[in-house]
Amino acid sequence: CLIAISLVLAAGLPLINNLKDKNIIIETKEIMFTIDDTINQVLDEAPGSKRTLFLEIQKGNLYIDEVNNRIIWNMKTKALIQEPEIIIEEATLKTYLNESIIIGEYQANLELTYPNIQLKLDSSKKSPFSGSFNLIIQYDKIENNKPLIVIKI
């Protein structure tokens, strides 16, 4: 009886963990779409407009890349959610999977890129971010002919 339970757990746990990771990716996609929608909302208004979001990053890390004006989330997973090294674009969100040096392990990535916006991080902490936190998105001003979006964490 114990051997049978052990076999079921050995076979079932990786499947359960893969399903958990797939659900986390789906939930994080929604977070990324919310961030993107919020940036667009404040841009539709006047400089000074801001919104506060409460984010919960269950797994993985959220990066604010000021140099390349990107918001990136990634996590390690064993779930093969899509073909590695192929970018899937859903509206403004890019999804891609990188293979790691460990066989059967991947890095799932979600990325928002803003070529016509300058992102600025205002935080006492450095990227990456994880866990639960407030994210304030503010349309600050026009700088170098681009809207400046300040992200406060």
Side-chain angles (χ1 to χ4, degrees), residues 53-106:
L53 301 173
F54 176 74
L55 299 185
E56 188 173 345
I57 305 297
Q58 296 178 29
K59 189 175 177 183
N61 294 301
L62 184 72
Y63 296 85
I64 309 298
D65 176 2
E66 298 173 276
V67 174
N68 298 302
N69 299 309
R70 299 180 305 169
I71 300 171
I72 302 166
W73 171 85
N74 61 39
M75 79 167 193
K76 289 182 182 175
T77 182
K78 292 184 179 182
L80 184 61
I81 57 162
Q82 68 185 57
E83 285 298 316
E85 315 304 330
I86 294 177
I87 297 172
I88 296 175
E89 294 187 43
E90 298 174 64
T92 56
L93 183 67
K94 293 178 184 174
T95 305
Y96 53 98
L97 198 65
N98 298 109
E99 292 185 87
S100 79
I101 57 172
I102 300 168
I103 295 173
E105 191 173 284
Y106 308 95

Side-chain angles (χ1 to χ4, degrees), residues 22-81:
K22 286 179 183 180
N23 284 337
I24 287 170
I25 292 166
I26 291 167
E27 289 170 10
T28 307
K29 274 186 181 182
E30 290 304 315
I31 290 170
M32 296 292 277
F33 282 129
T34 300
I35 291 170
D36 186 54
D37 287 344
T38 304
I39 288 172
N40 288 316
Q41 285 173 14
V42 298
L43 282 173
D44 286 343
E45 298 171 5
S49 176
K50 66 180 172 181
R51 301 281 190 287
T52 302
L53 301 173
F54 176 74
L55 299 185
E56 188 173 345
I57 305 297
Q58 296 178 29
K59 189 175 177 183
N61 294 301
L62 184 72
Y63 296 85
I64 309 298
D65 176 2
E66 298 173 276
V67 174
N68 298 302
N69 299 309
R70 299 180 305 169
I71 300 171
I72 302 166
W73 171 85
N74 61 39
M75 79 167 193
K76 289 182 182 175
T77 182
K78 292 184 179 182
L80 184 61
I81 57 162

Side-chain angles (χ1 to χ4, degrees), residues 91-125:
T92 56
L93 183 67
K94 293 178 184 174
T95 305
Y96 53 98
L97 198 65
N98 298 109
E99 292 185 87
S100 79
I101 57 172
I102 300 168
I103 295 173
E105 191 173 284
Y106 308 95
Q107 179 173 297
N109 303 280
L110 303 177
E111 180 181 316
L112 295 167
T113 303
Y114 298 98
N116 300 318
I117 297 172
Q118 178 61 49
L119 295 179
K120 180 181 178 198
L121 176 63
D122 180 3
S123 176
S124 58
K125 300 174 186 168

Side-chain angles (χ1 to χ4, degrees), residues 134-145:
N134 283 324
L135 184 91
I136 300 169
I137 297 172
Q138 180 175 349
Y139 178 6
D140 191 47
K141 61 185 174 184
I142 301 287
E143 188 173 270
N144 300 323
N145 294 322

